[in-house]
Amino acid sequence: MKYTENVFANYTSKENIERIKCFDSIEEMWNNSVKEFADQVALADPQRKLTYKELDEEVAKFRNVLLSKGINKGDFVGVFAPNTIEWAKAYLALETLGCCAVLLPPHLPEQALYGCGMKFQMKAIVYHPSFQAKIDALNLMPHKMVLINVMETSEEKAPSVKVGPKDPAAIIFTGGTTGKSKGALLNNKALCRGSCNGCYGIPDVFNQRYLLILPLTHVFGLVRNLLTNLQTGSALFICQNNKDMFRDIAMFRPTILVMVPALAEMCLNLSKQFKKNMLGDSLTHIICGASTVPPYLVKEYKPMNIILLPGYGLTESANLVSGNPRSDYKPASVGFPYPEQELKVVDGELWIKGDNVMDCYYNDPEENANAFSEDGFFKTGDLVRFDEEGFLYIVGRIKEIIVLNTGEKISPFDLENKFDELDIIQDSMVYLDEETQKLCIQVYPRMVELAKLGLANPEEYIRSEVNKINNLLPSFMRVSKIIIRKEDFVRTPAMKIIRGKANLQ
């Protein structure tokens, strides 16, 4: 089905809807924002604030630095830096020069950094001085790349160049919780479509205040936290150390936060512990995604006058596929598909087509052959269902399906969701025990909820509640062993639970 009607118009003010535009390139979007919001704050950190006009001047100077180093339109250039104003400056300079920014996660070791340079044919790396040791190691490698310190500047300013919708814009790493890491190549139109989609579902999205907590090398942080922010004339305060997050919140008073569920859960628990809204009285919305959003979070944030909105997306779809503007009504759903996409469900799997979808996994023909159908649909690997009102639900991952020795197939994701409906369960993981070939579950309890109950034996109570759900399941779906974790699961940088040996107890 092709989604052309924008159902989000029902949940966004008419004035906002008329102002929201899907640009053809990041260069076009940025120049429009500089013109429209020149004197408003664009980026800030504890040391300084830059207006859109001031940031544009920094971007123009860094474009000149890039040109002086031999970087031109069409070149692939790595960005290797922590979340800083300099990261955003370098990224915008590359995009407005028509380059493709390869977003290198800060945790990459030297050998992986070099391997990425080769695989993604990077002409240069823009790096932060705090990563100097890793950059020095690159000088010992046979293939030389141009190394550019992100702190460099110039007295001269270079103008932006005209960039087209199909011009490569970014390579972003993806791999999920089980697959090998790949580089998704997104063109300018894809990123602009993602940025545009991020504008929908909130009554007033312009001139807001955001706090950046997520890594900018992750598609959620890049698209929904940075690009949507810049498109809407909003101000983004960059948290440079998550340990200082609450200090930064008190200082900057954000109105919108973009979070993964694990972080939203932590903030909620601390708010309950200290009997104080740790996210500040100015906050109205939390945009939550990148992994499963428990309905519990929607319910528990409501008394704090904070609306938590779940959504669904992938790196390969420029982040945003669907969003739920009615989480109060259907908290378990990831909402409605955004407009200008074609979606279909094939054997339970969601396939999508649209200008938000990546061009390819760069330099990875085998993965591309498996990722796309003959008629150009991207196979998400996610198992889904739609209800009678058009709300979308994620029910599992194809790669994670467990096949029992009886032949029945189990979606651990779907099974976990049943147990996660318990307020006392924060997260769970269902898996097949290799020795017994029986289903097992590990649960990580919500200590805040358990403490309210004043139980003499919390573990016994947890097992009892889990078994109440277990006994209602068909016999082949029941877990035979319940393990109660004392510590949280090992997670990916995107805070998804890592399936496999890393989490087996």
Side-chain angles (χ1 to χ4, degrees):
M1 177 177 181
K2 187 163 185 177
Y3 290 82
T4 53
E5 181 186 358
N6 188 356
V7 297
F8 294 90
N10 299 321
Y11 307 99
T12 305
S13 72
K14 182 180 178 183
E15 179 187 0
N16 273 225
I17 284 291
E18 290 174 352
R19 294 179 69 185
I20 295 169
K21 178 182 177 182
C22 185
F23 295 93
D24 282 338
S25 69
I26 302 301
E27 173 258 339
E28 182 187 13
M29 182 273 284
W30 175 242
N31 286 333
N32 180 81
S33 291
V34 173
K35 181 180 178 181
E36 188 172 350
F37 312 116
D39 297 323
Q40 296 174 208
V41 173
L43 298 179
D45 64 23
Q47 288 75 45
R48 59 178 174 154
K49 293 181 180 179
L50 293 178
T51 64
Y52 279 78
K53 181 179 179 181
E54 290 168 340
L55 178 56
D56 188 52
E57 290 176 354
E58 294 294 312
V59 169
K61 290 177 181 178
F62 199 71
R63 274 198 301 266
N64 198 58
V65 170
L66 293 170
L67 288 169
S68 72
K69 305 286 186 179
I71 307 304
N72 295 289
K73 182 178 180 180
D75 288 337
F76 282 46
V77 178
V79 181
F80 190 49
N83 281 8
T84 52
I85 289 176
E86 285 73 29
W87 192 104
K89 173 196 74 176
Y91 171 78
L92 289 170
L94 289 167
E95 296 289 23
T96 55
L97 194 58
C99 297
C100 180
V102 183
L103 308 188
L104 301 166
H107 62 267
L108 283 180
E110 295 90 337
Q111 289 292 339
L113 196 60
Y114 179 74
C116 289
M118 298 296 289
K119 179 171 182 175
F120 303 123
Q121 300 174 319
M122 285 160 26
K123 186 174 183 178
I125 293 180
V126 175
Y127 71 92
H128 192 272
S130 61
F131 296 159
Q132 190 67 55
K134 291 182 179 180
I135 291 299
D136 288 343
L138 289 180
N139 286 320
L140 303 176
M141 306 291 185
H143 174 74
K144 302 299 181 185
M145 287 174 277
V146 179
L147 304 176
I148 306 169
N149 190 322
V150 74
M151 306 303 290
E152 284 193 48
T153 188
S154 167
E155 293 296 323
E156 302 293 326
K157 301 174 188 176
S160 60
V161 304
K162 183 63 178 175
V163 179
K166 295 297 184 181
D167 288 342
I171 288 179
I172 307 177
F173 288 93
T174 181
T177 58
T178 56
K180 69 176 184 178
S181 183
K182 304 178 285 288
L185 175 63
L186 294 157
N187 63 40
N188 272 265
K189 188 65 175 184
L191 289 181
C192 287
R193 176 61 66 186
S195 176
C196 174
N197 288 343
C199 299
Y200 295 128
I202 295 177
D204 187 3
V205 74
F206 287 87
N207 305 311
Q208 299 293 327
R209 295 189 303 275
Y210 288 79
L211 190 79
L212 177 68
I213 309 163
L214 301 177
L216 285 166
T217 52
H218 189 276
V219 73
F220 198 22
L222 175 72
V223 173
R224 185 58 186 85
N225 221 165
L226 178 65
L227 294 182
T228 296
N229 179 96
L230 296 176
Q231 178 168 343
T232 57
S234 299
L236 180 65
F237 188 100
I238 298 177
C239 179
Q240 296 175 330
N241 188 329
N242 281 5
K243 292 180 181 178
D244 298 326
M245 180 177 71
F246 297 113
R247 180 205 69 182
D248 292 347
I249 286 173
M251 179 190 308
F252 196 63
R253 301 173 56 244
T255 55
I256 300 175
L257 285 174
V258 181
M259 287 184 164
V260 295
L263 188 54
E265 181 102 37
M266 182 200 77
C267 294
L268 177 64
N269 289 340
L270 288 172
S271 294
K272 290 183 175 183
Q273 180 182 338
F274 292 106
K275 298 180 180 179
K276 173 187 176 183
N277 181 356
M278 300 296 288
L279 299 178
D281 295 334
S282 298
L283 190 70
T284 61
H285 291 82
I286 293 175
I287 311 301
C288 204
S291 60
T292 308
V293 180
Y296 168 87
L297 292 179
V298 175
K299 179 185 74 174
E300 293 297 308
Y301 269 107
K302 188 175 181 180
M304 297 167 63
N305 295 316
I306 296 172
I307 300 171
L308 187 140
L309 301 175
Y312 163 69
L314 310 101
T315 305
E316 295 90 343
S317 65
N319 186 215
L320 296 155
V321 172
S322 71
N324 188 351
R326 286 298 315 276
S327 58
D328 58 325
Y329 175 48
K330 296 198 175 181
S333 171
V334 292
F336 303 113
Y338 290 107
E340 303 306 323
Q341 298 178 95
E342 193 172 350
L343 275 63
K344 64 179 177 179
V345 180
V346 180
D347 297 327
E349 181 187 10
L350 181 66
W351 290 13
I352 59 175
K353 183 191 286 188
D355 55 22
N356 59 322
V357 176
M358 69 171 185
D359 289 347
C360 63
Y361 292 120
Y362 193 76
N363 206 5
D364 217 331
E366 184 177 339
E367 290 289 346
N368 289 322
N370 295 326
F372 290 93
S373 67
E374 291 184 0
D375 53 350
F377 279 85
F378 174 70
K379 305 174 184 179
T380 67
D382 289 311
L383 299 169
V384 303
R385 68 176 177 87
F386 285 91
D387 71 12
E388 65 284 351
E389 295 181 84
F391 282 85
L392 176 65
Y393 296 80
I394 310 300
V395 299
R397 287 282 296 167
I398 286 180
K399 290 182 179 179
E400 294 168 3
I401 291 294
I402 296 171
V403 181
L404 303 177
N405 53 18
T406 56
E408 283 100 351
K409 295 180 180 180
I410 301 290
S411 165
F413 184 99
D414 195 27
L415 196 50
E416 288 155 4
N417 280 345
K418 299 181 188 299
F419 294 105
D420 290 349
E421 289 179 4
L422 293 168
D423 284 357
I424 58 168
I425 301 301
Q426 179 172 323
D427 272 310
S428 62
M429 184 180 77
V430 171
Y431 60 97
L432 190 68
D433 183 270
E434 291 184 0
E435 291 185 9
T436 65
Q437 289 296 296
K438 292 184 178 180
L439 291 174
C440 303
I441 187 171
Q442 292 189 32
V443 298
Y444 181 53
R446 284 193 176 95
M447 302 311 297
V448 172
E449 295 297 327
L450 285 172
K452 290 180 184 177
L453 304 175
L455 302 169
N457 191 333
E459 285 203 9
E460 183 179 326
Y461 178 78
I462 293 169
R463 292 182 190 280
S464 171
E465 293 300 296
V466 169
N467 273 320
K468 284 180 183 177
I469 293 175
N470 202 31
N471 292 335
L472 295 174
L473 298 172
S475 58
F476 72 92
M477 292 180 68
R478 292 175 191 165
V479 297
S480 62
K481 186 176 182 181
I482 301 167
I483 298 171
I484 300 171
R485 295 181 67 96
K486 304 294 184 185
E487 297 179 351
D488 195 3
F489 290 94
V490 180
R491 298 175 182 269
T492 68
M495 299 302 290
K496 297 179 183 178
I497 293 173
I498 296 175
R499 296 187 183 273
K501 293 182 180 179
N503 271 308
L504 294 184
Q505 291 190 352

